[in-house]
Amino acid sequence: MIIFGTKGYLYQLAILTLVCGSCGNPAAHTLRKRVTKFTLFFVPLFPVSTKYGTQCTFCGAEQKITGEQAEQLQTQAANGQAGPAYGQPQQQPYQT
């Protein structure tokens, strides 16, 4: 008897302040990596799929992104310069 299957793992890579593409609010977004691994006798052996996404902490909307976009966002988070993620400019505060 052989027992096999898959198991999912969710990794939080960074937290960024971005303009949400759904609600339009500048809010914190979590950058996540979801990895599905093949298991044999409940031991994870190798990754079957890897997916990336962001989730808005204000409205809860999720958006799938590519691995390249995830790397860029993670680099921005490491440098402390998170910018707009969905092509919408983030509004700067009005200064007098």
Side-chain angles (χ1 to χ4, degrees):
M1 182 168 163
I2 297 176
I3 301 172
F4 64 93
T6 60
K7 182 173 182 181
Y9 296 89
L10 186 63
Y11 301 100
Q12 181 172 319
L13 302 177
I15 297 178
L16 307 155
T17 302
L18 306 168
V19 176
C20 181
S22 180
C23 66
N25 289 314
H29 284 69
T30 56
L31 177 61
R32 296 178 174 177
K33 176 181 176 180
R34 185 179 312 261
V35 179
T36 304
K37 293 186 177 183
F38 176 79
T39 60
L40 183 62
F41 293 106
F42 306 105
V43 177
L45 295 177
F46 55 88
V48 176
S49 72
T50 303
K51 297 178 183 179
Y52 296 91
T54 60
Q55 182 178 20
C56 177
T57 58
F58 188 80
C59 68
E62 294 185 28
Q63 181 171 359
K64 294 180 183 178
I65 59 174
T66 65
E68 294 173 357
Q69 290 172 329
E71 286 182 26
Q72 291 174 354
L73 288 173
Q74 199 169 7
T75 302
Q76 287 178 358
N79 294 336
Q81 46 177 291
Y86 310 118
Q88 300 175 357
Q90 184 171 359
Q91 297 176 354
Q92 299 296 324
Y94 180 72
Q95 297 178 356
T96 56

